[in-house]
Amino acid sequence: MSTVLTLLRKELLLERRVPQLVPAMSLFGVTTFVVFHFALGQRTVEGDLAAGILVVTLLFATILGVNRLYVADREEGGFDAFLLAPVDRTALGVAKAVTLFAFLVLVELVMLPAFAILLLGPGMDLEVVAKLGVVLLLVNLGLSVIGTLVGALAIQTRARDLIGPLIALPLLVPVVIGAARALSPVLSEGGAGALEGRWLGVLGLYDLVFGLLAYALFDFLLED
Amino acid sequence: MTYGNRLRVTSAAAALVLLLAFGLAFFAAGIEADQGFSQKIFYVHVPLAIVALGGFVFGGVMAVQHLRTGDARYDLRSYVAIHIAIVLGVGALITGAIWAKAAWGVWFEWREPTLVSFLIVFLLYCTYQPMRFSIEDPDKQGRYASVFAITAGAFVPLNFLAVRLADPYIHPRVLNQGGGDLPASFRPPFYLALVGMTLLFAALYQYELSHKHSRAQLRQLRRKLGGEVEATGRSAAPQVTGA
Amino acid sequence: MELIGLGRRYGTRLALDDVSLTLATGQTIAIFGPNGAGKSTLLRVLATLLRPHAGTARVLGRTLPDGGWAVRGRVGLLSHEPLLYRDLSPRENLRFQARLHGVGAGRVEELLDAVELGLRADDPLHTFSRGMVQRTAVARAVLHDPELLLLDEPLAHLDPAAAALVEPLIGAASGRTRVVTSHDPAGGLAGADVALGLVGGRTALLAPASDIDVASIGALYR
């Protein structure tokens, strides 16, 4: 546990020293909203379309971040330094997942207001924000878990920028389904609809299964 | 030599059972009322898809064995299983498209969750080979491939659940995947075709395994005789060392 | 430390082939050999970063790779890469690694003084010269007071004054068991008890350092 905290502190310190992931992912998200405006020719969106745009933008921003998640460790020998220490190796995976989760929350703090201003038709009142929060919590968990696992896998391949997204995209389809379907009624015109339990169930099950799987498999991705 | 004999038996059994199944499908099974003759492709398409998915999951199970034991032979089995499942998957997608065109007039039907799930799973497994290819060290390649195979193996059922839930409206279909409400005369050829397709998978699986082994043996013999051994170069396939 | 028939492949290429040697506690072995001879691979195997593919390696009384967990934290590796984050300062880097190794912050300050980085200890590493980075890396390698030091050309990028500075930490006088690679026959032999010459992953020379002259080491590179 203390190892996770030590690693986490290092990640946050690095991001604070040289902000890289959070600004890049946020900027990418906002720019994507602009792109969607022109691509769809819509001034405002709601319902299915709004939920889809939000989830897809978040998905691609995550993939952008995952590509950089391990670069410092790989290129500056952080992996070796960590492997030389007498600590539990899974701690690195846990720390990376928590880091990615924290970054996603920060990115969403930028993306959601931008989305409300630029594209979203229905207003964003407290109820909508609360429901968004619940769904995004589960979404972020899934994105962090898969991002941590796929990032660690891709960083050791020669074509890492290609392999990572190619694996992550299909793997995350269930998250997209769960999130988009859950958010569609929340973001629809004429008042926020209820959250459907089964979509939260799908997201929760996904997070649980891949969380455990990533926890069990992460160690195998570290050794040379 | 053991490979040779087993291979012959499995191949013959696969051919026989499949012939019998298709024979029954054409002559004994009834003509489906809505779709007519084109429905017969069902006896190829569904077994293909089921066996391909089974192959993916089997590859995942072998990958678990690989990571648990560290024995590279399990990596080879996992690789071969996934490789053949991908080939059968291509067949399933093509026959599925033909069937969709004949039955519904479109090449792809988003409202058919099984087909959609299958496409997603197939797209995921398409990265298996490129991923292997981009890792040079064979040990690492095997280990990483196994992590992929286990993750993807667990993804198969989860993905089917999510996609099926996503479309509560189920397109009018002749059959459920399990064959539960199949008309009685459709059942024997369907189950026979499923068994035959599984045997075909087994035969292809054994064929590729024995091919890999005999090539490794040949290289070893050449090396012993002091002859030239061509460099293997980089490969996505696991290297077999020794017999 | 004892190696019997140690081998390690990269793909189908043998990076280390049948290397056997013994080294008593407190002794120093100097490894010579041209680029690509397997020196760095040997160090990485001893550091538990690479698994041996053949033979046996006993390090600090443990057999690798199964006993690797008990060896980790007792070896110090100084490799070509500094194993430090470029955007963090020496102090931040060392504190991070000190926490991983369960070492107090006092040791970090002690080492920063020892390698005379006290004044610039809070500047990010990417503003440093190679020599200063190497000094930080030396501090990192001995942070947890390792029993076995694995040094890959430890004096690279260091001027004579800096080399003298790190001598008490990683030199023969440090009292640690040392495995040192070098391209400098005279300098490498000076502090060594045993000399190993590697060519193409194979042992080309293995003898007490006192029995070897500089010329025979020069012959390895031809």
Side-chain angles (χ1 to χ4, degrees), chain C residues 28-188:
Chain C
T28 296
I29 183 168
I31 307 177
F32 302 96
N35 295 329
K39 303 189 296 291
S40 300
T41 305
L42 179 56
L43 289 193
R44 288 180 68 80
V45 170
L46 295 176
T48 74
L49 290 176
L50 290 178
R51 283 167 180 271
H53 283 145
T56 320
R58 282 183 70 78
V59 176
L60 299 173
R62 303 287 183 155
T63 306
L64 301 182
D66 296 337
W69 58 273
V71 173
R72 256 167 245 141
R74 294 166 67 196
V75 294
L77 173 70
L78 181 60
S79 66
H80 282 290
E81 290 101 40
L83 310 192
L84 300 163
Y85 290 99
R86 281 196 291 265
D87 292 328
L88 298 184
S89 70
R91 184 171 277 130
E92 287 162 344
N93 265 303
L94 293 183
R95 283 213 176 140
F96 162 62
Q97 306 218 10
R99 276 192 217 102
L100 284 183
H101 284 275
V103 175
R107 173 78 175 154
V108 171
E109 299 307 318
E110 187 186 310
L111 282 169
L112 283 172
D113 287 341
V115 295
E116 292 185 1
L117 278 170
L119 284 177
R120 293 199 56 190
D122 292 315
D123 295 349
L125 220 60
H126 64 76
T127 63
F128 281 25
S129 69
R130 279 310 307 260
M132 291 170 78
V133 172
Q134 184 73 0
R135 268 147 66 186
T136 317
V138 168
R140 195 215 82 239
V142 298
L143 191 60
H144 49 296
D145 208 6
E147 294 154 62
L148 172 65
L149 271 180
L150 307 168
L151 308 171
D152 207 347
E153 294 176 56
L155 301 183
H157 312 291
L158 293 181
D159 60 35
L165 205 60
V166 301
E167 174 64 23
L169 297 175
I170 57 169
S174 68
R176 308 181 215 267
T177 312
R178 302 187 311 144
V179 180
V180 189
T181 75
S182 172
H183 285 303
D184 167 21

Side-chain angles (χ1 to χ4, degrees), chain B residues 12-31:
Chain B
L16 209 70
V17 176
L18 278 178
L19 265 177
L20 189 64
F22 295 149
L24 277 179
F26 275 104
F27 300 112
I31 297 282

